[in-house]
Amino acid sequence: MNAPLPSDAFVRSVENGLSSLTCTLVGVQCGGCTNKIERRVSSMGGVISVRANATTKRLRFVWDPAVVKIDELINAVEELGYSAHPLATELEGRTKSNLLIPLAVAGFGTMNVMMFSLAVWAGIVTDMGPGTVQFMHWLSAGIAIPVCIYSGSVFFLPAIRSLRAGHMTIDTSISLAILTTLLASVYETFQGAEHAYFDAAVSLVFFLLIGRVLDQSIRKKSSAASDNLRAMTQGTAKRIGPGGQIEHVLADDLSIGDVIYALPGERIAADGNLLFDIALVDESILTGETLPRTVVQDQPVIAGSVVVGQAARVKVTAVGADGRIAEIADIVEAAEARKGRQQLLADKFASAYGPVVIGASLVGFLIWYFFLGASFSQAAMIAVAVMVVTCPCAAGLATPAVVVRAINQLLSRGVIVKNGEALERLAEIDQVVVDKTGTLTTSKLALENSVNQKTLQAASAIAANSQHPLARALGEVCPAKPMAGVVETIGAGLVAPNGAKLGSARFLKINGHGDSNAPELWYRDADGETTRLRFRDIIKPDAANFVASLQMEGLGVELLSGDKSEATRDVANRMGISSWFGEMGPEDKCQHVMSLEHSDKKVLMIGDGINDAPSLAAAYVSISPATAAHISQNASDIVLAGSSLLPVVGAIKMARNARKLINQNMLFATAYNLVALPLALAGGLTPLIAAILMSSSSILVMLNAFRLKMPQ
Amino acid sequence: MTIIIYLIPISLLLGALALIGFVWTVRSGQYDDLEGERYRILEEDAGPSRMDDQENKSVK
């Protein structure tokens, strides 16, 4: 069995002394996998229920803690070849509002109102008396009005909100069309007219809700996927209790003065001071520097840094809103606030379009009523026909149809787009800014210069005793058995029993190379012969291909890094990036991205570190890999499910294709309206024919959306 | 034509029943996992899923 899992921090107790936990599942492809997991776990004693969800890739256990331990259950899942990560309660909630119910109500209303309408249309040409017609109209009103109010509130409420804020969105136009049709029909019914148009109003709500349901379903799916990724990076801590025992707690539950414990390879959960001796901390996720920093007793360490070498005990000095990460979170928030909300294409369309439609129907009414001698109700019906025929269905239905298809296809290729706005913005970018450590490079090092095999073997045998990244890199070039009796001075070097030394220039007392931060090791064998071992970043295998593809698409690529300028230049040269900046702090990076935006560039920022979070938030669109820090994934619009960057190129192409289709649909909608609007104004359309035209134009734009394909 | 006095309420009632049924399926979470459910019918034992439904309700 593995080491105890940090899952107890996430367990919730439910009634009857039972416990529950929700996990994310990695490796689940389909319902077949979830069934296998359910069968295996439910066969274990003490398990009350286990339910896996193949759509959201989550698993919920309910068990009796007196009989079985959660770690055993998770291990059972892992033995099947999947991995399960506990999910914090804040991430697991089911969304409260479900648009399926308003859609069903609207569907019910549409069908039943249509039933009366058909009777009326048939009855008028045969033998239905005016009394029965009016009875039918009142029945229709009795269904259509409550249905439109209930289901239509999906559009009305945001419309009211945006009107208060002083702008028009797609919801404003939709609400107006629904309400005028409804009101005019009520007026007609009071007048005892032959036709009322309740059917048009309800079917409008029904059609538009289809678009919203599609939109919501994809949002749910992608937000579940991005929450699942974040669950893998979220912080737990090992707290040392009063009796010296180790407790697993959530990083958020720590308080100042707690003593926490981190094993080599684990993240330090909170800012604090080192309690004992000396430790090496890898701060690459915070600063972008590949090499670890040496910390001695009572010096501060920052939350998020990884302990290298030996285990560290840390006394917590800052939690929650006080830590360095919280400081960065504030910059992120400020950058997001400055950027403001982008306007959706559909809303841009609606805000230009809405006033035109309202104006046209008003003008139509006035002309017919005052100049062409129509009765009040005839003129009102013309105004309604204008309203209905020009209803912004193309924008309300076709845009989500394209966006949903695009996001869904990207999701299946491991690109999680958090919302449709991000996809629209991705299509517009003209500049890409990439972080170095962890994004283009693997945050590991490789030997740069050639050294003879015998020396390498000897040095590697000494290095095998150390956890320092440079020593580990040496072990990867030339694996060797650890030599016995080697003494390590943490952060400086190693001495073998035969007098050979391996370490920094300072440790070997070599003059002229005093910079201990350079990625190099010096080896002096027992005879005093000195060898220099230089290291450089390992670039991810497909990174060069990625940069080249971006440049081929005509996008400028820049490299920003918190690492040393030499290391940054080296990577930039190898990748063919001409514009690079090293030694950039989080604020500098953010500033740089903003200055690019000021010069009218639309920047795509790709980064993974905590130090990238502010610039991710400031950029026009941002992407982070699955290995990115929690805060960076939150600040990004798009998260990659893997560490490879190549899917980004596909995503950009996909976004551009989607944008092309959306524009086509808008163009079609405009052309359709240019024909339909004069017809309606001329009184050539009854609201019924207008409703049929509107529906068929919606279906056409929907079909166009299906042409979207993943680019090769 | 007086027959419609009975037929219209009956047809509305039937429609309403279908609507109520649909709302129930939404509320009991039957659309939460469209991927997984289609494999679930291939299972011989529906035991765990039924227990989970009861449990879900009691937790809420």
Side-chain angles (χ1 to χ4, degrees), chain A residues 15 31 35 38-39 48-49 51-55 60 94 104 108 115, chain B residues 11 15-16 22 32-35 37 39-40 43 49 51-52 55 58:
Chain A
E15 56 197 21
N35 277 346
E38 283 181 3
R39 244 191 336 251
I48 307 302
S49 88
R51 180 86 171 179
N53 187 322
T55 313
R60 182 159 187 266
R94 204 187 268 174
F108 164 82
M115 179 175 79
Chain B
S11 79
F22 182 78
D32 286 357
D33 182 15
L34 297 176
E35 295 284 319
E37 302 295 358
Y39 291 90
R40 225 174 270 280
E43 282 290 283
S49 63
M51 281 168 96
D52 188 67
E55 183 272 328
S58 62

PDB file of all heavy atoms in Angstrom, chain A residues 15 31 35 38-39 48-49 51-55 60 94 104 108 115, chain B residues 11 15-16 22 32-35 37 39-40 43 49 51-52 55 58:
ATOM      1  N   GLU A  15     -25.099  11.830   7.722  1.00  0.00           N
ATOM      2  CA  GLU A  15     -25.838  11.305   8.869  1.00  0.00           C
ATOM      3  C   GLU A  15     -25.521   9.831   9.155  1.00  0.00           C
ATOM      4  O   GLU A  15     -24.895   9.141   8.344  1.00  0.00           O
ATOM      5  CB  GLU A  15     -27.336  11.487   8.634  1.00  0.00           C
ATOM      6  CG  GLU A  15     -27.795  10.849   7.335  1.00  0.00           C
ATOM      7  CD  GLU A  15     -29.148  11.365   6.897  1.00  0.00           C
ATOM      8  OE1 GLU A  15     -29.545  12.467   7.349  1.00  0.00           O
ATOM      9  OE2 GLU A  15     -29.790  10.664   6.130  1.00  0.00           O
ATOM     10  N   GLY A  31     -18.174   5.046 -19.891  1.00  0.00           N
ATOM     11  CA  GLY A  31     -18.986   4.439 -18.851  1.00  0.00           C
ATOM     12  C   GLY A  31     -18.518   3.050 -18.467  1.00  0.00           C
ATOM     13  O   GLY A  31     -18.792   2.573 -17.363  1.00  0.00           O
ATOM     14  N   ASN A  35     -18.159   1.767 -14.552  1.00  0.00           N
ATOM     15  CA  ASN A  35     -18.828   0.575 -14.048  1.00  0.00           C
ATOM     16  C   ASN A  35     -17.852  -0.347 -13.341  1.00  0.00           C
ATOM     17  O   ASN A  35     -18.153  -0.923 -12.305  1.00  0.00           O
ATOM     18  CB  ASN A  35     -19.475  -0.196 -15.211  1.00  0.00           C
ATOM     19  CG  ASN A  35     -20.819   0.395 -15.566  1.00  0.00           C
ATOM     20  OD1 ASN A  35     -21.359   1.180 -14.793  1.00  0.00           O
ATOM     21  ND2 ASN A  35     -21.324   0.038 -16.708  1.00  0.00           N
ATOM     22  N   GLU A  38     -17.096   1.098  -9.980  1.00  0.00           N
ATOM     23  CA  GLU A  38     -18.220   0.934  -9.055  1.00  0.00           C
ATOM     24  C   GLU A  38     -18.320  -0.500  -8.554  1.00  0.00           C
ATOM     25  O   GLU A  38     -18.531  -0.743  -7.375  1.00  0.00           O
ATOM     26  CB  GLU A  38     -19.535   1.324  -9.737  1.00  0.00           C
ATOM     27  CG  GLU A  38     -19.720   2.821  -9.839  1.00  0.00           C
ATOM     28  CD  GLU A  38     -21.030   3.191 -10.496  1.00  0.00           C
ATOM     29  OE1 GLU A  38     -21.816   2.268 -10.816  1.00  0.00           O
ATOM     30  OE2 GLU A  38     -21.265   4.385 -10.697  1.00  0.00           O
ATOM     31  N   ARG A  39     -18.163  -1.468  -9.501  1.00  0.00           N
ATOM     32  CA  ARG A  39     -18.279  -2.867  -9.117  1.00  0.00           C
ATOM     33  C   ARG A  39     -17.220  -3.243  -8.101  1.00  0.00           C
ATOM     34  O   ARG A  39     -17.492  -3.867  -7.099  1.00  0.00           O
ATOM     35  CB  ARG A  39     -18.142  -3.752 -10.361  1.00  0.00           C
ATOM     36  CG  ARG A  39     -19.395  -4.537 -10.658  1.00  0.00           C
ATOM     37  CD  ARG A  39     -19.179  -5.594 -11.707  1.00  0.00           C
ATOM     38  NE  ARG A  39     -18.080  -5.368 -12.598  1.00  0.00           N
ATOM     39  CZ  ARG A  39     -18.224  -5.040 -13.883  1.00  0.00           C
ATOM     40  NH1 ARG A  39     -19.407  -4.877 -14.403  1.00  0.00           N
ATOM     41  NH2 ARG A  39     -17.165  -4.878 -14.648  1.00  0.00           N
ATOM     42  N   ILE A  48     -21.152   2.021   1.631  1.00  0.00           N
ATOM     43  CA  ILE A  48     -22.605   2.193   1.558  1.00  0.00           C
ATOM     44  C   ILE A  48     -23.002   2.462   0.110  1.00  0.00           C
ATOM     45  O   ILE A  48     -23.924   1.865  -0.421  1.00  0.00           O
ATOM     46  CB  ILE A  48     -23.072   3.359   2.464  1.00  0.00           C
ATOM     47  CG1 ILE A  48     -22.547   3.181   3.878  1.00  0.00           C
ATOM     48  CG2 ILE A  48     -24.593   3.460   2.439  1.00  0.00           C
ATOM     49  CD1 ILE A  48     -22.955   1.904   4.556  1.00  0.00           C
ATOM     50  N   SER A  49     -22.289   3.379  -0.529  1.00  0.00           N
ATOM     51  CA  SER A  49     -22.592   3.599  -1.944  1.00  0.00           C
ATOM     52  C   SER A  49     -21.371   4.167  -2.637  1.00  0.00           C
ATOM     53  O   SER A  49     -20.521   4.811  -2.016  1.00  0.00           O
ATOM     54  CB  SER A  49     -23.777   4.548  -2.118  1.00  0.00           C
ATOM     55  OG  SER A  49     -23.331   5.867  -2.140  1.00  0.00           O
ATOM     56  N   ARG A  51     -20.681   6.014  -6.522  1.00  0.00           N
ATOM     57  CA  ARG A  51     -21.319   6.391  -7.783  1.00  0.00           C
ATOM     58  C   ARG A  51     -20.304   7.172  -8.602  1.00  0.00           C
ATOM     59  O   ARG A  51     -19.804   8.203  -8.159  1.00  0.00           O
ATOM     60  CB  ARG A  51     -22.536   7.259  -7.476  1.00  0.00           C
ATOM     61  CG  ARG A  51     -23.273   7.720  -8.687  1.00  0.00           C
ATOM     62  CD  ARG A  51     -24.289   6.693  -9.128  1.00  0.00           C
ATOM     63  NE  ARG A  51     -25.140   7.236 -10.177  1.00  0.00           N
ATOM     64  CZ  ARG A  51     -26.099   6.536 -10.749  1.00  0.00           C
ATOM     65  NH1 ARG A  51     -26.318   5.301 -10.375  1.00  0.00           N
ATOM     66  NH2 ARG A  51     -26.831   7.065 -11.698  1.00  0.00           N
ATOM     67  N   ALA A  52     -19.983   6.655  -9.775  1.00  0.00           N
ATOM     68  CA  ALA A  52     -19.040   7.354 -10.641  1.00  0.00           C
ATOM     69  C   ALA A  52     -19.804   8.059 -11.744  1.00  0.00           C
ATOM     70  O   ALA A  52     -20.805   7.546 -12.237  1.00  0.00           O
ATOM     71  CB  ALA A  52     -18.061   6.361 -11.244  1.00  0.00           C
ATOM     72  N   ASN A  53     -19.342   9.241 -12.102  1.00  0.00           N
ATOM     73  CA  ASN A  53     -19.968  10.015 -13.165  1.00  0.00           C
ATOM     74  C   ASN A  53     -18.984  10.121 -14.319  1.00  0.00           C
ATOM     75  O   ASN A  53     -17.917  10.720 -14.187  1.00  0.00           O
ATOM     76  CB  ASN A  53     -20.340  11.397 -12.621  1.00  0.00           C
ATOM     77  CG  ASN A  53     -21.134  12.209 -13.611  1.00  0.00           C
ATOM     78  OD1 ASN A  53     -20.874  12.165 -14.809  1.00  0.00           O
ATOM     79  ND2 ASN A  53     -22.098  12.948 -13.120  1.00  0.00           N
ATOM     80  N   ALA A  54     -19.346   9.523 -15.458  1.00  0.00           N
ATOM     81  CA  ALA A  54     -18.409   9.487 -16.580  1.00  0.00           C
ATOM     82  C   ALA A  54     -18.339  10.819 -17.312  1.00  0.00           C
ATOM     83  O   ALA A  54     -17.395  11.072 -18.042  1.00  0.00           O
ATOM     84  CB  ALA A  54     -18.802   8.374 -17.552  1.00  0.00           C
ATOM     85  N   THR A  55     -19.340  11.687 -17.139  1.00  0.00           N
ATOM     86  CA  THR A  55     -19.330  12.986 -17.819  1.00  0.00           C
ATOM     87  C   THR A  55     -18.405  13.953 -17.099  1.00  0.00           C
ATOM     88  O   THR A  55     -17.550  14.585 -17.708  1.00  0.00           O
ATOM     89  CB  THR A  55     -20.747  13.581 -17.871  1.00  0.00           C
ATOM     90  OG1 THR A  55     -21.642  12.571 -18.297  1.00  0.00           O
ATOM     91  CG2 THR A  55     -20.792  14.755 -18.818  1.00  0.00           C
ATOM     92  N   ARG A  60     -18.106   9.496  -6.183  1.00  0.00           N
ATOM     93  CA  ARG A  60     -18.516   9.843  -4.829  1.00  0.00           C
ATOM     94  C   ARG A  60     -18.645   8.573  -4.001  1.00  0.00           C
ATOM     95  O   ARG A  60     -19.326   7.637  -4.391  1.00  0.00           O
ATOM     96  CB  ARG A  60     -19.851  10.582  -4.859  1.00  0.00           C
ATOM     97  CG  ARG A  60     -20.321  11.028  -3.500  1.00  0.00           C
ATOM     98  CD  ARG A  60     -21.323  12.157  -3.611  1.00  0.00           C
ATOM     99  NE  ARG A  60     -21.629  12.679  -2.295  1.00  0.00           N
ATOM    100  CZ  ARG A  60     -22.666  12.257  -1.573  1.00  0.00           C
ATOM    101  NH1 ARG A  60     -23.467  11.337  -2.039  1.00  0.00           N
ATOM    102  NH2 ARG A  60     -22.889  12.772  -0.370  1.00  0.00           N
ATOM    103  N   ARG A  94     -23.275  20.798  -6.986  1.00  0.00           N
ATOM    104  CA  ARG A  94     -24.041  20.682  -8.213  1.00  0.00           C
ATOM    105  C   ARG A  94     -24.610  22.069  -8.531  1.00  0.00           C
ATOM    106  O   ARG A  94     -24.990  22.799  -7.616  1.00  0.00           O
ATOM    107  CB  ARG A  94     -25.176  19.696  -7.957  1.00  0.00           C
ATOM    108  CG  ARG A  94     -25.691  19.032  -9.219  1.00  0.00           C
ATOM    109  CD  ARG A  94     -26.916  18.218  -8.898  1.00  0.00           C
ATOM    110  NE  ARG A  94     -26.600  16.826  -8.582  1.00  0.00           N
ATOM    111  CZ  ARG A  94     -27.524  15.960  -8.163  1.00  0.00           C
ATOM    112  NH1 ARG A  94     -28.750  16.323  -7.987  1.00  0.00           N
ATOM    113  NH2 ARG A  94     -27.185  14.716  -7.911  1.00  0.00           N
ATOM    114  N   ALA A 104     -38.314  22.468 -20.790  1.00  0.00           N
ATOM    115  CA  ALA A 104     -39.425  21.516 -20.847  1.00  0.00           C
ATOM    116  C   ALA A 104     -40.756  22.238 -20.729  1.00  0.00           C
ATOM    117  O   ALA A 104     -41.714  21.932 -21.443  1.00  0.00           O
ATOM    118  CB  ALA A 104     -39.273  20.489 -19.722  1.00  0.00           C
ATOM    119  N   PHE A 108     -43.689  22.215 -23.474  1.00  0.00           N
ATOM    120  CA  PHE A 108     -45.065  21.869 -23.134  1.00  0.00           C
ATOM    121  C   PHE A 108     -46.004  22.983 -23.600  1.00  0.00           C
ATOM    122  O   PHE A 108     -47.024  22.728 -24.244  1.00  0.00           O
ATOM    123  CB  PHE A 108     -45.161  21.664 -21.618  1.00  0.00           C
ATOM    124  CG  PHE A 108     -46.554  21.672 -21.062  1.00  0.00           C
ATOM    125  CD1 PHE A 108     -47.341  20.535 -21.111  1.00  0.00           C
ATOM    126  CD2 PHE A 108     -47.082  22.828 -20.490  1.00  0.00           C
ATOM    127  CE1 PHE A 108     -48.635  20.543 -20.592  1.00  0.00           C
ATOM    128  CE2 PHE A 108     -48.371  22.839 -19.975  1.00  0.00           C
ATOM    129  CZ  PHE A 108     -49.144  21.701 -20.030  1.00  0.00           C
ATOM    130  N   MET A 115     -51.724  23.385 -30.399  1.00  0.00           N
ATOM    131  CA  MET A 115     -52.939  22.578 -30.544  1.00  0.00           C
ATOM    132  C   MET A 115     -54.161  23.491 -30.710  1.00  0.00           C
ATOM    133  O   MET A 115     -54.985  23.285 -31.603  1.00  0.00           O
ATOM    134  CB  MET A 115     -53.089  21.699 -29.308  1.00  0.00           C
ATOM    135  CG  MET A 115     -54.305  20.808 -29.289  1.00  0.00           C
ATOM    136  SD  MET A 115     -54.268  19.738 -27.847  1.00  0.00           S
ATOM    137  CE  MET A 115     -54.818  20.877 -26.588  1.00  0.00           C
TER     138      MET A 115
ATOM    139  N   SER B  11     -56.556  16.587 -22.435  1.00  0.00           N
ATOM    140  CA  SER B  11     -55.279  16.669 -23.161  1.00  0.00           C
ATOM    141  C   SER B  11     -54.264  17.505 -22.388  1.00  0.00           C
ATOM    142  O   SER B  11     -53.082  17.192 -22.344  1.00  0.00           O
ATOM    143  CB  SER B  11     -55.487  17.232 -24.567  1.00  0.00           C
ATOM    144  OG  SER B  11     -55.610  18.626 -24.509  1.00  0.00           O
ATOM    145  N   GLY B  15     -50.628  16.242 -20.945  1.00  0.00           N
ATOM    146  CA  GLY B  15     -49.395  16.998 -21.203  1.00  0.00           C
ATOM    147  C   GLY B  15     -48.704  17.367 -19.905  1.00  0.00           C
ATOM    148  O   GLY B  15     -47.491  17.225 -19.755  1.00  0.00           O
ATOM    149  N   ALA B  16     -49.518  17.831 -18.939  1.00  0.00           N
ATOM    150  CA  ALA B  16     -48.961  18.250 -17.654  1.00  0.00           C
ATOM    151  C   ALA B  16     -48.304  17.073 -16.946  1.00  0.00           C
ATOM    152  O   ALA B  16     -47.246  17.213 -16.335  1.00  0.00           O
ATOM    153  CB  ALA B  16     -50.041  18.869 -16.781  1.00  0.00           C
ATOM    154  N   PHE B  22     -41.084  14.690 -16.530  1.00  0.00           N
ATOM    155  CA  PHE B  22     -39.782  15.160 -17.002  1.00  0.00           C
ATOM    156  C   PHE B  22     -39.059  15.935 -15.905  1.00  0.00           C
ATOM    157  O   PHE B  22     -37.865  15.736 -15.673  1.00  0.00           O
ATOM    158  CB  PHE B  22     -39.959  16.040 -18.239  1.00  0.00           C
ATOM    159  CG  PHE B  22     -38.666  16.515 -18.812  1.00  0.00           C
ATOM    160  CD1 PHE B  22     -37.888  15.666 -19.592  1.00  0.00           C
ATOM    161  CD2 PHE B  22     -38.202  17.795 -18.557  1.00  0.00           C
ATOM    162  CE1 PHE B  22     -36.683  16.091 -20.107  1.00  0.00           C
ATOM    163  CE2 PHE B  22     -36.991  18.227 -19.070  1.00  0.00           C
ATOM    164  CZ  PHE B  22     -36.238  17.371 -19.858  1.00  0.00           C
ATOM    165  N   ASP B  32     -27.480  13.981 -15.225  1.00  0.00           N
ATOM    166  CA  ASP B  32     -26.178  14.437 -14.744  1.00  0.00           C
ATOM    167  C   ASP B  32     -25.030  13.728 -15.438  1.00  0.00           C
ATOM    168  O   ASP B  32     -23.940  14.246 -15.526  1.00  0.00           O
ATOM    169  CB  ASP B  32     -26.066  14.219 -13.232  1.00  0.00           C
ATOM    170  CG  ASP B  32     -26.901  15.234 -12.473  1.00  0.00           C
ATOM    171  OD1 ASP B  32     -27.483  16.098 -13.149  1.00  0.00           O
ATOM    172  OD2 ASP B  32     -26.978  15.157 -11.247  1.00  0.00           O
ATOM    173  N   ASP B  33     -25.249  12.521 -15.877  1.00  0.00           N
ATOM    174  CA  ASP B  33     -24.158  11.765 -16.467  1.00  0.00           C
ATOM    175  C   ASP B  33     -24.639  11.049 -17.720  1.00  0.00           C
ATOM    176  O   ASP B  33     -24.969   9.881 -17.702  1.00  0.00           O
ATOM    177  CB  ASP B  33     -23.616  10.749 -15.450  1.00  0.00           C
ATOM    178  CG  ASP B  33     -22.452   9.964 -16.010  1.00  0.00           C
ATOM    179  OD1 ASP B  33     -21.897  10.391 -17.044  1.00  0.00           O
ATOM    180  OD2 ASP B  33     -22.102   8.930 -15.425  1.00  0.00           O
ATOM    181  N   LEU B  34     -24.694  11.772 -18.829  1.00  0.00           N
ATOM    182  CA  LEU B  34     -25.202  11.183 -20.061  1.00  0.00           C
ATOM    183  C   LEU B  34     -24.216  10.174 -20.650  1.00  0.00           C
ATOM    184  O   LEU B  34     -24.598   9.275 -21.379  1.00  0.00           O
ATOM    185  CB  LEU B  34     -25.516  12.277 -21.075  1.00  0.00           C
ATOM    186  CG  LEU B  34     -26.626  13.238 -20.624  1.00  0.00           C
ATOM    187  CD1 LEU B  34     -26.803  14.352 -21.629  1.00  0.00           C
ATOM    188  CD2 LEU B  34     -27.934  12.505 -20.427  1.00  0.00           C
ATOM    189  N   GLU B  35     -22.934  10.317 -20.302  1.00  0.00           N
ATOM    190  CA  GLU B  35     -21.931   9.377 -20.804  1.00  0.00           C
ATOM    191  C   GLU B  35     -22.091   8.004 -20.153  1.00  0.00           C
ATOM    192  O   GLU B  35     -22.070   6.979 -20.807  1.00  0.00           O
ATOM    193  CB  GLU B  35     -20.515   9.873 -20.480  1.00  0.00           C
ATOM    194  CG  GLU B  35     -20.103  11.150 -21.150  1.00  0.00           C
ATOM    195  CD  GLU B  35     -19.771  10.938 -22.604  1.00  0.00           C
ATOM    196  OE1 GLU B  35     -19.137   9.917 -22.910  1.00  0.00           O
ATOM    197  OE2 GLU B  35     -20.166  11.788 -23.421  1.00  0.00           O
ATOM    198  N   GLU B  37     -24.573   6.655 -18.174  1.00  0.00           N
ATOM    199  CA  GLU B  37     -25.837   5.921 -18.032  1.00  0.00           C
ATOM    200  C   GLU B  37     -26.045   4.886 -19.136  1.00  0.00           C
ATOM    201  O   GLU B  37     -26.641   3.854 -18.920  1.00  0.00           O
ATOM    202  CB  GLU B  37     -27.030   6.888 -18.014  1.00  0.00           C
ATOM    203  CG  GLU B  37     -26.987   7.941 -16.923  1.00  0.00           C
ATOM    204  CD  GLU B  37     -27.068   7.383 -15.514  1.00  0.00           C
ATOM    205  OE1 GLU B  37     -27.201   6.159 -15.358  1.00  0.00           O
ATOM    206  OE2 GLU B  37     -26.972   8.190 -14.576  1.00  0.00           O
ATOM    207  N   TYR B  39     -24.026   2.948 -20.395  1.00  0.00           N
ATOM    208  CA  TYR B  39     -23.344   1.690 -20.098  1.00  0.00           C
ATOM    209  C   TYR B  39     -23.983   0.994 -18.910  1.00  0.00           C
ATOM    210  O   TYR B  39     -23.852  -0.191 -18.723  1.00  0.00           O
ATOM    211  CB  TYR B  39     -21.864   1.945 -19.788  1.00  0.00           C
ATOM    212  CG  TYR B  39     -21.096   2.386 -20.994  1.00  0.00           C
ATOM    213  CD1 TYR B  39     -20.988   3.723 -21.309  1.00  0.00           C
ATOM    214  CD2 TYR B  39     -20.492   1.450 -21.829  1.00  0.00           C
ATOM    215  CE1 TYR B  39     -20.295   4.127 -22.434  1.00  0.00           C
ATOM    216  CE2 TYR B  39     -19.799   1.843 -22.940  1.00  0.00           C
ATOM    217  CZ  TYR B  39     -19.700   3.192 -23.239  1.00  0.00           C
ATOM    218  OH  TYR B  39     -19.013   3.576 -24.345  1.00  0.00           O
ATOM    219  N   ARG B  40     -24.658   1.799 -18.086  1.00  0.00           N
ATOM    220  CA  ARG B  40     -25.216   1.262 -16.853  1.00  0.00           C
ATOM    221  C   ARG B  40     -26.303   0.220 -17.127  1.00  0.00           C
ATOM    222  O   ARG B  40     -26.456  -0.717 -16.365  1.00  0.00           O
ATOM    223  CB  ARG B  40     -25.787   2.415 -16.025  1.00  0.00           C
ATOM    224  CG  ARG B  40     -25.431   2.347 -14.571  1.00  0.00           C
ATOM    225  CD  ARG B  40     -25.906   3.597 -13.880  1.00  0.00           C
ATOM    226  NE  ARG B  40     -24.892   4.629 -13.895  1.00  0.00           N
ATOM    227  CZ  ARG B  40     -23.864   4.655 -13.048  1.00  0.00           C
ATOM    228  NH1 ARG B  40     -23.741   3.719 -12.151  1.00  0.00           N
ATOM    229  NH2 ARG B  40     -22.986   5.618 -13.114  1.00  0.00           N
ATOM    230  N   GLU B  43     -25.333  -3.343 -17.150  1.00  0.00           N
ATOM    231  CA  GLU B  43     -24.968  -3.977 -15.892  1.00  0.00           C
ATOM    232  C   GLU B  43     -26.043  -4.953 -15.447  1.00  0.00           C
ATOM    233  O   GLU B  43     -27.246  -4.659 -15.567  1.00  0.00           O
ATOM    234  CB  GLU B  43     -24.805  -2.904 -14.809  1.00  0.00           C
ATOM    235  CG  GLU B  43     -23.506  -2.161 -14.902  1.00  0.00           C
ATOM    236  CD  GLU B  43     -22.346  -3.047 -14.532  1.00  0.00           C
ATOM    237  OE1 GLU B  43     -22.139  -3.274 -13.345  1.00  0.00           O
ATOM    238  OE2 GLU B  43     -21.649  -3.530 -15.460  1.00  0.00           O
ATOM    239  N   SER B  49     -26.531   1.771  -7.757  1.00  0.00           N
ATOM    240  CA  SER B  49     -27.118   3.010  -8.228  1.00  0.00           C
ATOM    241  C   SER B  49     -28.419   3.292  -7.493  1.00  0.00           C
ATOM    242  O   SER B  49     -28.717   4.417  -7.151  1.00  0.00           O
ATOM    243  CB  SER B  49     -27.363   2.935  -9.735  1.00  0.00           C
ATOM    244  OG  SER B  49     -28.297   1.929 -10.008  1.00  0.00           O
ATOM    245  N   MET B  51     -29.218   2.368  -4.475  1.00  0.00           N
ATOM    246  CA  MET B  51     -28.912   2.810  -3.119  1.00  0.00           C
ATOM    247  C   MET B  51     -28.472   4.261  -3.122  1.00  0.00           C
ATOM    248  O   MET B  51     -28.812   5.025  -2.253  1.00  0.00           O
ATOM    249  CB  MET B  51     -27.798   1.958  -2.540  1.00  0.00           C
ATOM    250  CG  MET B  51     -28.285   0.621  -2.057  1.00  0.00           C
ATOM    251  SD  MET B  51     -26.887  -0.409  -1.743  1.00  0.00           S
ATOM    252  CE  MET B  51     -26.699  -0.170  -0.026  1.00  0.00           C
ATOM    253  N   ASP B  52     -27.771   4.625  -4.143  1.00  0.00           N
ATOM    254  CA  ASP B  52     -27.241   5.979  -4.191  1.00  0.00           C
ATOM    255  C   ASP B  52     -28.362   6.990  -4.340  1.00  0.00           C
ATOM    256  O   ASP B  52     -28.333   8.059  -3.771  1.00  0.00           O
ATOM    257  CB  ASP B  52     -26.263   6.105  -5.349  1.00  0.00           C
ATOM    258  CG  ASP B  52     -25.548   7.425  -5.316  1.00  0.00           C
ATOM    259  OD1 ASP B  52     -24.766   7.648  -4.380  1.00  0.00           O
ATOM    260  OD2 ASP B  52     -25.804   8.234  -6.197  1.00  0.00           O
ATOM    261  N   GLU B  55     -29.861   7.538  -1.057  1.00  0.00           N
ATOM    262  CA  GLU B  55     -28.897   8.221  -0.195  1.00  0.00           C
ATOM    263  C   GLU B  55     -28.811   9.690  -0.567  1.00  0.00           C
ATOM    264  O   GLU B  55     -28.795  10.571   0.269  1.00  0.00           O
ATOM    265  CB  GLU B  55     -27.567   7.486  -0.347  1.00  0.00           C
ATOM    266  CG  GLU B  55     -26.442   7.982   0.503  1.00  0.00           C
ATOM    267  CD  GLU B  55     -25.709   9.079  -0.178  1.00  0.00           C
ATOM    268  OE1 GLU B  55     -25.629   9.069  -1.411  1.00  0.00           O
ATOM    269  OE2 GLU B  55     -25.258   9.960   0.504  1.00  0.00           O
ATOM    270  N   SER B  58     -31.605  11.597   0.966  1.00  0.00           N
ATOM    271  CA  SER B  58     -31.538  11.804   2.404  1.00  0.00           C
ATOM    272  C   SER B  58     -30.458  12.820   2.756  1.00  0.00           C
ATOM    273  O   SER B  58     -30.581  13.538   3.729  1.00  0.00           O
ATOM    274  CB  SER B  58     -31.276  10.475   3.117  1.00  0.00           C
ATOM    275  OG  SER B  58     -30.027   9.958   2.704  1.00  0.00           O
TER     276      SER B  58
END
